[in-house]
Amino acid sequence: MKVLVIGGGAREHALCRSLSLDPDVTALHCAPGNAGIAEVAELHPVDALDGAAVAALAGELDAGLVVIGPEAPLVAGVADAVRAAGIPCFGPSKEAARLEGSKAFAKDVMAAAGVPTARSYVCTTPEEIDTALDAFGAPYVVKDDGLAAGKGVVVTGDVEQARAHARSCERVVIEEFLDGPEVSLFAITDGSTVLPLTPAQDFKRALDGDEGPNTGGMGAYSPLPWADPKLVDEVLQSVLQPTVDELRRRGTPFSGLLYAGLAITSRGVRVIEFNARFGDPETQVVLARLRTPLARVLLHSANGTLDSEPPLTWHDSAAVTVVVASHNYPGTPRTGDPITGLDEVAAADAPHAYVLHAGTRQEGDAVVSAGGRVLSVTAVGEDLAEARSRAYAAVDRIRLDGSQHRTDIARTAAGG
């Protein structure tokens, strides 16, 4: 089949890489893509938020499947436009994508479905904000109700910082702090059947030791050697399936990728948040370990036939991703800096380590930075220690003036 992927980050590069290795994929297109995706897919300009434009492009390309990567097009209803044109689309409808587009809506769905999550208040006035902050106390967890590219959450012991963030949001969710390690679990669903993927853990803080501001994610690893082997089954039964069933009951079935951000607390698993798409950078490590060809599974999701798909199979390997970010990220990033060393990684480290492009663009023969998170350096190995060693060896070959990366991704889990 011919596949069109919408988006231009490292998540989309990871999706395109996996799809390019799938023998069922006869042609691979990406819009708008980036400098790295251009090596495995044909790029096309498009406004990813314009459903009519995306559907028209898919029609021109005779695409048999459209895969929407980022959250903003999903919340804007692009999947609806593609499906209305009669083209199978992997990604939820605008209504179902509210699960990510509104934290308050997600809380309402979880309450109806009996899904365990943090107690919370939805606030729209300064008085409501102060009441909620007083009710929970420190550490304060304050979430912008809408989309904020993974950076709309503040967790702080400083009540003034919490209050300032809350008041900067039009609508805000303030909730109790959840203790314990965090886990990301993806599941592919067609609105009825739910097919969980393998768990991963990402690192949200900008600096080593989980210091510094929240980011979109600075690295990830999979599998989780410390996690309970029954975790996936437990989350499927207590979180994923009930959520999918509740959305179907409401008449807004969720078809696509359901992402559960989880806290493994002293009182059991609790949902921190839902996303309506593959997460970045966890996608990079999860897809690195996936043995099952990807295109068929995504098409079954789009067509409502996921019950015919056998359980997913996985490589025994471990995977680690380290994000190389630009100067000043997650503040206003510096862009336009040349990136070198990519050929060295390809020559010296492949196939065990490779670079997935996020914020890059081609300028003549050069690749330059074009965003905050610039590259995701991904490696596989027999265990986390080997994957981690290979990832950082590849990172060391890359040169980008002023760039930053964490040096402790998967260190504890690898026994370091």
Side-chain angles (χ1 to χ4, degrees):
M1 80 185 90
K2 298 177 182 177
V3 181
L4 169 62
V5 176
I6 301 300
R11 162 188 46 227
E12 289 76 35
H13 195 173
L15 286 163
C16 285
R17 180 181 182 273
S18 290
L19 290 166
S20 73
L21 299 173
D22 188 331
D24 286 341
V25 177
T26 55
L28 182 60
H29 303 270
C30 187
N34 62 38
I37 295 174
E39 297 176 12
V40 295
E42 183 179 344
L43 302 191
H44 305 269
V46 78
D47 178 355
L49 299 179
D50 185 336
V54 171
L57 175 61
E60 290 167 18
L61 297 174
D62 193 26
L65 175 66
V66 174
V67 179
I68 300 178
E71 60 272 29
L74 293 169
V75 172
V78 172
D80 303 87
V82 172
R83 277 192 279 268
I87 302 167
C89 184
F90 181 78
S93 66
K94 179 178 181 176
E95 279 298 306
R98 290 179 65 205
L99 202 61
E100 175 169 5
S102 169
K103 303 289 190 298
F105 176 76
K107 288 289 188 182
D108 184 62
V109 170
M110 283 188 269
V115 170
T117 186
R119 293 180 299 118
S120 64
Y121 292 100
V122 179
C123 306
T124 56
T125 68
E127 293 76 20
E128 290 174 344
I129 289 167
D130 290 344
T131 298
L133 292 173
D134 288 344
F136 289 128
Y140 304 96
V141 181
V142 183
K143 299 181 176 182
D144 190 332
D145 181 50
L147 292 181
K151 291 174 280 189
V153 179
V154 166
V155 181
T156 179
D158 183 342
V159 69
E160 291 306 322
Q161 184 184 359
R163 183 177 289 116
H165 179 63
R167 290 187 175 186
S168 71
C169 305
E170 190 173 319
R171 196 175 190 221
V172 67
V173 175
I174 297 174
E175 62 184 39
E176 67 175 326
F177 177 77
L178 297 174
D179 63 333
E182 295 184 13
V183 173
S184 298
L185 183 62
F186 300 156
I188 293 171
T189 179
D190 60 1
S192 297
T193 301
V194 181
L195 212 57
L197 280 69
T198 189
Q201 187 174 53
D202 79 331
F203 294 75
K204 287 292 187 195
R205 298 285 187 172
L207 307 176
D208 284 7
D210 291 327
E211 299 290 334
N214 258 347
T215 71
M218 294 299 291
Y221 69 92
S222 179
L224 312 181
W226 49 268
D228 187 327
K230 299 174 185 172
L231 176 65
V232 173
D233 286 341
E234 179 189 340
V235 174
L236 175 62
Q237 293 169 19
S238 67
V239 174
L240 299 170
Q241 192 71 56
T243 300
V244 168
D245 291 345
E246 171 63 19
L247 286 166
R248 186 176 68 253
R249 188 191 68 75
R250 292 178 177 219
T252 55
F254 188 105
S255 169
L257 194 289
L258 178 58
Y259 163 112
L262 309 164
I264 313 301
T265 78
S266 54
R267 294 169 291 138
V269 174
R270 297 288 186 272
V271 175
I272 300 169
E273 65 175 353
F274 283 127
N275 289 338
R277 40 72 194 183
F278 279 104
D280 183 341
E282 300 98 318
T283 301
Q284 289 85 303
V285 292
V286 170
L287 292 186
R289 299 186 57 231
L290 180 64
R291 186 191 294 270
T292 301
L294 184 61
R296 185 188 69 222
V297 185
L298 302 186
L299 186 62
H300 276 312
S301 167
N303 286 338
T305 53
L306 204 55
D307 58 348
S308 65
E309 180 67 30
L312 302 175
T313 58
W314 302 91
H315 294 291
D316 291 334
S317 58
V320 172
T321 285
V322 179
V323 170
V324 177
S326 57
H327 178 74
N328 198 43
Y329 179 77
T332 303
R334 193 175 79 201
T335 60
D337 290 315
I339 304 163
T340 59
L342 300 176
D343 291 342
E344 293 174 38
V345 174
D349 301 304
H352 302 299
Y354 49 88
V355 179
L356 298 169
H357 291 234
T360 68
R361 69 172 181 268
Q362 195 83 33
E363 280 193 0
D365 293 333
V367 175
V368 302
S369 61
R373 291 185 295 174
V374 181
L375 304 168
S376 283
V377 181
T378 302
V380 294
E382 287 192 11
D383 55 25
L384 284 173
E386 184 175 51
R388 188 173 182 278
S389 174
R390 286 171 169 171
Y392 279 106
V395 168
D396 287 344
R397 301 186 203 280
I398 295 168
R399 290 169 294 282
L400 170 61
D401 187 46
S403 67
Q404 55 177 318
H405 65 271
R406 282 185 58 160
T407 65
D408 61 348
I409 304 299
R411 177 190 287 158
T412 302

